Amino acid sequence: MVVVSFLLLFWRILPLLIVLLGFLAAQFNYILFIDATILAALPYLLALILCGFASMFNRSRFIAPVIIALFAYHVIRERLQTPLSQDAVLALFTGLNLLFCMQLLFSLCWPEKGLFTRMGALFISLLLSGCILLWLVSHVGFAEQWLLQVSQHKIGFF
């Protein structure tokens, strides 16, 4: 009985422990058994655990931001590790910022238990289509020029 309650407590604080372990490993250099590749994989592990938590309770509003943030982290880690002075990289960065914010706002409008229903497939396809659209836009010349000029456009709403 004590072992079961310890496992339940450990499961609940596991995301916090992973973040704490990653922080300590990055902060102190004397932890030599943790490699930089393990630290780079920690967001994926944390997202997997958070998606497990959300799927246990059927909470799509919790799964969607985790997946969206994980996609943004992956794009930043794999494609945006170069200076923003290059036009293609700046266009991808601008497109990622716009897509990330729009997807988060869209996920706020989705019903609480809507991911594991028929409409959930539509939601997942909209999220994936945004990711595919970002990839296509970053490889098309006219869209790259438009994304480069986004910072020069005035926003009249504010």
Side-chain angles (χ1 to χ4, degrees):
M1 191 66 147
V2 174
V3 173
V4 173
S5 64
F6 176 73
L7 288 175
L8 289 175
L9 177 68
F10 182 73
W11 173 250
R12 290 180 185 197
I13 63 171
L14 188 60
L16 180 62
L17 290 175
I18 290 174
V19 170
L20 184 64
L21 176 71
F23 174 75
L24 290 175
Q27 206 62 325
F28 303 112
N29 290 332
Y30 63 86
I31 304 176
L32 298 176
F33 64 89
I34 296 181
D35 193 16
T37 55
I38 295 174
L39 289 177
L42 278 179
Y44 298 110
L45 178 64
L46 190 61
L48 182 69
I49 291 171
L50 291 175
C51 284
F53 275 141
S55 66
M56 282 190 318
F57 302 110
N58 195 12
R59 299 288 185 234
S60 61
R61 290 181 88 180
F62 188 63
I63 290 176
V66 170
I67 293 172
I68 293 166
L70 189 65
F71 169 74
Y73 170 76
H74 180 73
V75 170
I76 290 169
R77 188 171 172 265
E78 294 297 325
R79 302 207 39 212
L80 291 177
Q81 295 299 318
T82 55
L84 290 177
S85 59
Q86 299 174 5
D87 287 343
V89 176
L90 183 61
L92 181 65
F93 178 73
T94 306
L96 180 66
N97 285 332
L98 291 172
L99 178 68
F100 182 69
C101 294
M102 284 189 289
Q103 284 182 335
L104 283 179
L105 288 174
F106 182 68
S107 71
L108 288 175
C109 299
W110 202 255
E112 183 65 35
K113 293 185 177 184
L115 192 62
F116 300 116
T117 62
R118 279 185 274 151
M119 294 299 289
L122 175 68
F123 178 67
I124 298 265
S125 64
L126 285 174
L127 289 180
L128 289 176
S129 66
C131 301
I132 293 169
L133 182 68
L134 176 67
W135 182 80
L136 287 174
V137 163
S138 67
H139 287 83
V140 177
F142 75 89
E144 181 179 313
Q145 291 302 320
W146 182 80
L147 285 172
L148 287 173
Q149 296 172 356
V150 165
S151 63
Q152 298 170 358
H153 295 298
K154 257 191 166 175
I155 299 174
F157 297 119
F158 301 107

